[in-house]
Amino acid sequence: MIELEKDGGLWIATINRPDKANSLTEAMLEELVEIARAATETKALILTGRGKVFSAGADLDEARAGLATSDVWERLSGAIAALPCLTIAALNGTLAGGANGMALACDLRIAVPSAKFFYPVMKLGFLPQASDPVRMKALIGPARTKMILMAGQKITADEAYAYGLVDRVVEPDALMSTARDLTADVVAAKPEIATGIAEMCR
């Protein structure tokens, strides 16, 4: 249920479980970990979803069975964050729960206007993965991070843009073309230059 398209120096990984709001099973997360670890071979990686929701987070049945507290979420976000290539979360819709981690770990986030962002981990009785509040706080500050994680607020795409949680809001029919355009320079660049700039920006 994870599709991987390789187009020269660009990889596109798509969560394809729209009938279940792209909720993530352990097998899907492990597949995404493998893709992220292998993406050292490419120049850019785009993560997106099929349908109108990017991801509702953990599959509910598997979450109750232990997936909600599995280390696979942290392994995924860590693998994405460690990549030397340009990483983009192309958020085709709402982003919820633990799925926030992979988007927070990306270099850039773009979203459609209908997207909403929420992370009801406290309400569900779990702690977030350790790196998620750190990355969120670095992007939007501690107060707004607490608004999402502790006050349980669902924020709109426009609010996310104003906060700095997303870098651009685009219409659905322009989402993937915009994401591809953002990767064009790095795909065309010499690998050592692109990697060097990435390291300088860390």
Side-chain angles (χ1 to χ4, degrees), residues 124-179:
L124 296 173
F126 302 110
L127 289 171
Q129 292 300 316
S131 65
D132 290 357
V134 176
R135 293 192 178 108
M136 190 180 291
K137 184 175 70 172
L139 289 170
I140 66 176
R144 286 168 172 166
T145 298
K146 289 175 184 175
M147 185 179 291
I148 294 170
L149 295 178
M150 299 186 75
Q153 294 301 291
K154 184 182 292 185
I155 65 171
T156 66
D158 286 341
E159 288 173 318
Y161 178 72
Y163 288 2
L165 187 58
V166 299
D167 304 292
R168 192 167 289 173
V169 177
V170 298
E171 293 300 324
D173 59 359
L175 181 70
M176 292 310 297
S177 61
T178 300

Side-chain angles (χ1 to χ4, degrees), residues 24-148:
L24 296 158
T25 64
E26 186 169 14
M28 292 166 69
L29 288 163
E30 292 289 0
E31 191 172 352
L32 285 166
V33 171
E34 290 179 12
I35 289 169
R37 288 178 174 169
T40 53
E41 304 168 9
T42 193
K43 294 181 176 181
L45 172 66
I46 297 171
L47 299 175
T48 192
R50 189 77 63 206
K52 296 184 178 180
V53 176
F54 175 75
S55 176
D59 174 87
L60 289 179
D61 290 336
E62 293 200 20
R64 296 187 191 102
L67 182 60
T69 56
S70 170
D71 71 345
V72 68
W73 303 95
E74 195 74 0
R75 287 191 283 114
L76 174 56
S77 61
I80 293 169
L83 283 170
C85 67
L86 181 65
T87 54
I88 299 175
L91 304 171
N92 56 294
T94 293
L95 174 62
N100 279 272
M102 70 178 87
L104 289 167
C106 285
D107 298 312
L108 302 173
R109 285 153 296 282
I110 60 175
V112 298
S114 62
K116 291 182 174 59
F117 301 78
F118 62 107
Y119 200 154
V121 65
M122 188 175 70
K123 184 177 181 180
L124 296 173
F126 302 110
L127 289 171
Q129 292 300 316
S131 65
D132 290 357
V134 176
R135 293 192 178 108
M136 190 180 291
K137 184 175 70 172
L139 289 170
I140 66 176
R144 286 168 172 166
T145 298
K146 289 175 184 175
M147 185 179 291
I148 294 170

